[in-house]
Amino acid sequence: SYVLTQPPSVSVAPGQTARISCGGNDIDTEDVSWLQQRPGQAPVLVMYYAQDRPSGIPERFSGSNSGNTATLSISSVEAGDEADYYCQVWDANSDRPVFGGGTKLTVL
Amino acid sequence: QVQLVQTGAEVKKPGASVKVSCRASEYTFTAYFINWVRQAPGQGLEWVGRINTYNGDTNFAQKFQGRVSMTRDTSISTAYMELRSLHSDDTAVYFCARVGGDNSGTYGVFDIWGQGTMVTVSS
């Protein structure tokens, strides 16, 4: 089955750019979504189809997808961006979703 | 606004069953799948299964086969998940989520989530 690999944690200072990676075999052929989950809350979609932002998501959030790595970038990081971030694809072979293990973003 | 609202927290004994509901509002209920995802304490997201709200077809993750059922009532835009033979490691927050189908323009995208239902299994 398809596997998505994320780093467990990423730390960044306020105002800097955070980059969270999601590795998968030929992931650039997949439609990648990114979910943000703040502590005690439900996940929120922040990016889909690798680089499309849902309405209400700040332009500071951007995405890219190339080769075996998709990346969620957050520029001008704020304290409120501190959360767990999950990448997700829909695996057409198994007809079910696959989630990455999640990355905890810490704002220093 | 578009939202999914779930039932409140449940506490069950091992071996019991739990049924969680997920009520949709402000969109055409039958135009999107409802998926169920759970999250054990301190852990990541785990897919449980999905229901095609248009025709009632279901697909489940293999580990839940035979123990889970998903239904819907289109008259009240509500989806249900029932998990049977509960054991302690079923303790988790259960989320419903809206996911686009073939004609939605957001195929496979989990774009709206319910607030979650905490299910605690304890003797």
Side-chain angles (χ1 to χ4, degrees):
Chain A
S1 61
Y2 198 74
V3 175
L4 296 174
T5 302
Q6 298 182 239
S9 63
V10 167
S11 298
V12 64
Q16 298 303 302
T17 297
R19 293 180 179 85
I20 301 171
S21 64
C22 176
N25 187 42
D26 291 331
I27 197 173
D28 62 349
T29 64
E30 305 288 342
D31 292 322
V32 181
S33 292
W34 289 92
L35 301 161
Q36 175 196 65
Q37 187 179 33
R38 294 189 173 103
Q41 297 188 19
V44 172
L45 181 71
V46 295
M47 195 69 57
Y48 65 103
Y49 294 168
Q51 53 190 11
D52 289 348
R53 265 189 324 275
S55 60
I57 301 302
E59 291 184 10
R60 301 185 297 106
F61 288 77
S62 63
S64 63
N65 192 5
S66 179
N68 293 318
T69 304
T71 303
L72 176 70
S73 298
I74 311 170
S75 62
S76 303
V77 164
E78 305 168 355
D81 298 328
E82 195 163 273
D84 293 326
Y85 290 84
Y86 295 88
C87 58
Q88 176 259 322
V89 304
W90 193 277
D91 181 14
N93 289 333
S94 61
D95 194 22
R96 52 205 59 209
V98 177
F99 293 98
T103 298
K104 181 176 179 58
L105 176 64
T106 299
V107 181
L108 301 170
Chain B
Q1 73 277 22
V2 175
Q3 62 178 349
L4 299 172
V5 177
Q6 301 181 220
T7 40
E10 301 265 12
V11 179
K12 297 292 183 181
K13 293 191 181 305
S17 299
V18 68
K19 190 170 186 177
V20 181
S21 71
C22 171
R23 177 172 52 85
S25 58
E26 301 300 327
Y27 76 91
T28 302
F29 179 66
T30 53
Y32 294 83
F33 290 83
I34 292 292
N35 284 237
W36 292 88
V37 176
R38 77 177 187 180
Q39 186 172 40
Q43 301 301 307
L45 302 173
E46 180 180 30
W47 185 69
V48 179
R50 71 173 178 180
I51 183 166
N52 181 327
T53 54
Y54 181 76
N55 60 19
D57 286 349
T58 54
N59 303 95
F60 307 126
Q62 188 163 6
K63 70 179 289 185
F64 301 104
Q65 295 271 5
R67 206 161 65 90
V68 68
S69 59
M70 294 179 185
T71 56
R72 90 286 189 223
D73 185 339
T74 58
S75 69
I76 55 172
S77 299
T78 300
Y80 304 91
M81 182 205 66
E82 182 178 33
L83 190 60
R84 300 177 291 277
S85 301
L86 292 167
H87 32 81
S88 58
D89 59 3
D90 290 317
T91 293
V93 178
Y94 289 76
F95 296 100
C96 62
R98 186 181 86 163
V99 178
D102 287 336
N103 300 319
S104 69
T106 53
Y107 181 83
V109 178
F110 287 70
D111 65 348
I112 303 293
W113 291 69
Q115 83 276 22
T117 297
M118 181 71 217
V119 175
T120 303
V121 183
S122 174
S123 55

